[in-house]
Amino acid sequence: VLADRLTSPTTLDIAPDGRVWVAFQDGRIGVIDSDTSGVELAFQLDCDGSAEHGLQGLELDPEFESNHFIYVYYTANSPAPHNRISRLTVDPTTEDSILPGSEVPLLELPNLADYGNPPWHIGGAVQIGLDGTLYVQIGESQQSAQSQDLDSPLGKILHLNVDGTPAANNPYLDASDGITWRDYVWASGLRNPFASDLNPVTGQYFVCDVGQGSWEEINDATLPGQDFGWPTTEGPFNQQAFPNASQPFYAYSHANGCAITGGAFNPGGTTPFPAEYQGQFFFSEFCSSEIRLIDPANPAAVRVFATGADFPMNIEFGPDGAMYYVARGAGAGGAPGIGTGSIQKIAFASNLPPRIDSSPSDMLVSADYDATFVAAATGSAPLEYRWQSSTGGDFLDVPGAASPTLVVAA
């Protein structure tokens, strides 16, 4: 546990120097300098954090060490409540605070009042592509029909340059008639695309879309121009009936969970996870408090990685190879979870020296009965065991004794 007793943490990212940047629903941005420092406040956005509104996306620039840029997606209060994509700049002299006045709005979405001030389905992850462009996932704000309307930003993945202009390879880009929402659209047909990750090695882009009553989806949005079907489809569907919609890469029913709220590819690191986890996509199942993983080359290969994850949300892998994740510690529905949240770290322990955790106890046995001694040890595999005994002189190896258990025959 890197930090606990937190209220409504939503997402995080890890800097090359190991600092962990944490976003909170109410617009706070904090930083963890070390495994024992806790979260220090770095900045406060003017943010509406009610219901599912708030600071939902935070991503460090790939050149963060030189330009100190952080990109955020949040619900701005002014001039009227609306969702905004902005760039912030970290103070290079402190490296753990954000320069006042450094916010540069890149894209302003419509006012929430324009579609009835919806409390739910804001979406909100931010990713940076291998070419340095931004991908931002926008929920449909309970306006499901707009997911299919290319002239609306709702229920879409928007793709833009870091200056806020539409990316050049967007599938519907046509600047000749002026810039409209259609020019920003990378993909459509999404409900509440709450989480995602873009593989830093292969460029594969997985988007986690929180479903309605039946299915949770992982969609492969690597290629442009895809329609993921909402509200017409949810989960697997008959392709002949909907030939223009893209099937989810993987979907699971609500008999096996209820909300997919985080996801990250494991690219390795300084002390990477074992080979069986390399390149796998890890995702958070909120309601079952599980972190699961799936093989990006085989959607049938799904298994549970961690249980008891305490309502997990965003997942990231740091430069140290460890997994970091947000544990909200409270249920869904925008509940604030006052003081219940935490930032957790899972690391693969490699090259640990052997350690005896439980030494064998003295035994008194009756004549004609064997004596069984048991020891327990931890450390990096393989562990080797050696037993020694003494009758009053030097300790000598017991021949053939090479397991955690030693049986001394009667």
Side-chain angles (χ1 to χ4, degrees):
V1 179
L2 297 186
D4 59 7
R5 297 192 294 274
L6 306 178
T7 296
S8 296
T10 52
T11 188
L12 55 79
D13 201 4
I14 299 93
D17 65 1
R19 284 183 171 88
V20 181
W21 291 84
V22 182
F24 295 84
Q25 188 173 344
D26 62 3
R28 286 172 294 142
I29 298 174
V31 62
I32 303 173
D33 282 331
S34 68
D35 286 358
T36 58
S37 68
V39 180
E40 299 294 332
L41 182 65
F43 196 68
Q44 174 70 64
L45 290 161
D46 181 19
C47 178
D48 168 17
S50 63
E52 286 182 354
H53 300 171
L55 176 53
Q56 302 291 354
L58 180 147
E59 185 78 1
L60 305 188
D61 191 281
E63 304 299 324
F64 178 77
E65 288 182 294
S66 57
N67 62 28
H68 311 291
F69 291 160
I70 296 179
Y71 301 94
V72 293
Y73 170 69
Y74 72 103
T75 308
N77 273 319
S78 61
H82 69 288
N83 291 314
R84 170 187 289 162
I85 302 153
S86 285
R87 187 187 74 216
L88 307 171
T89 302
V90 173
D91 187 340
T93 62
T94 66
E95 297 185 329
D96 58 7
S97 62
I98 292 173
L99 290 169
S102 68
E103 181 177 3
V104 177
L106 302 179
L107 201 60
E108 307 276 11
L109 273 67
N111 291 339
L112 297 179
D114 292 351
Y115 32 97
N117 292 306
W120 318 122
H121 308 174
I122 303 301
V126 180
Q127 300 297 333
I128 299 182
L130 301 185
D131 61 356
T133 56
L134 298 175
Y135 295 83
V136 186
Q137 296 154 209
I138 309 298
E140 39 88 299
S141 292
Q142 300 175 264
Q143 316 297 305
S144 59
Q146 295 201 33
S147 293
Q148 293 294 322
D149 181 359
L150 294 178
D151 292 313
S152 166
L154 303 184
K156 309 295 192 303
I157 299 171
L158 305 183
H159 186 209
L160 55 150
N161 299 310
V162 293
D163 63 358
T165 58
N169 60 341
N170 283 348
Y172 311 107
L173 178 63
D174 181 6
S176 65
D177 59 352
I179 299 301
T180 66
W181 288 118
R182 180 181 295 253
D183 298 306
Y184 284 96
V185 173
W186 178 260
S188 60
L190 295 162
R191 180 179 179 269
N192 191 16
F194 196 79
S196 68
D197 197 24
L198 199 147
N199 191 314
V201 178
T202 67
Q204 190 172 25
Y205 179 29
F206 275 3
V207 175
C208 304
D209 196 12
V210 177
Q212 187 177 41
S214 302
W215 295 91
E216 301 299 300
E217 297 180 352
I218 297 176
N219 295 296
D220 188 342
T222 309
L223 299 178
Q226 295 186 80
D227 171 11
F228 293 109
W230 178 258
T232 308
T233 69
E234 183 184 34
F237 57 87
N238 184 329
Q239 193 70 64
Q240 290 184 331
F242 306 101
N244 296 322
S246 294
Q247 293 277 0
F249 172 81
Y250 169 71
Y252 62 92
S253 79
H254 281 190
N256 194 28
C258 80
I260 184 167
T261 51
F265 289 96
N266 181 353
T270 305
T271 54
F273 277 41
E276 63 182 296
Y277 300 117
Q278 296 301 302
Q280 302 295 290
F281 184 76
F282 292 73
F283 61 94
S284 297
E285 207 320 291
F286 188 82
C287 301
S288 66
S289 284
E290 292 178 341
I291 296 176
R292 304 172 184 173
L293 70 152
I294 187 169
D295 185 346
N298 180 13
V302 182
R303 54 198 167 111
V304 174
F305 172 73
T307 60
D310 203 16
F311 299 103
M313 296 177 60
N314 178 241
I315 304 170
E316 296 286 342
F317 283 90
D320 59 355
M323 172 192 287
Y324 298 76
Y325 72 92
V326 172
R328 190 171 176 92
I338 298 172
T340 63
S342 63
I343 306 300
Q344 307 272 350
K345 178 180 179 180
I346 300 175
F348 170 62
S350 61
N351 300 319
L352 287 179
R355 184 182 69 182
I356 298 174
D357 292 327
S358 177
S359 297
S361 301
D362 293 337
M363 295 195 69
L364 178 66
V365 298
S366 300
D368 299 324
Y369 283 85
D370 295 342
T372 301
F373 298 92
V374 179
T378 55
S380 297
L383 292 174
E384 297 180 357
Y385 292 84
R386 187 176 68 183
W387 290 82
Q388 293 182 327
S389 65
S390 171
T391 57
D394 294 337
F395 279 88
L396 301 175
D397 289 347
V398 177
S403 76
T405 301
L406 173 67
V407 177
V408 178

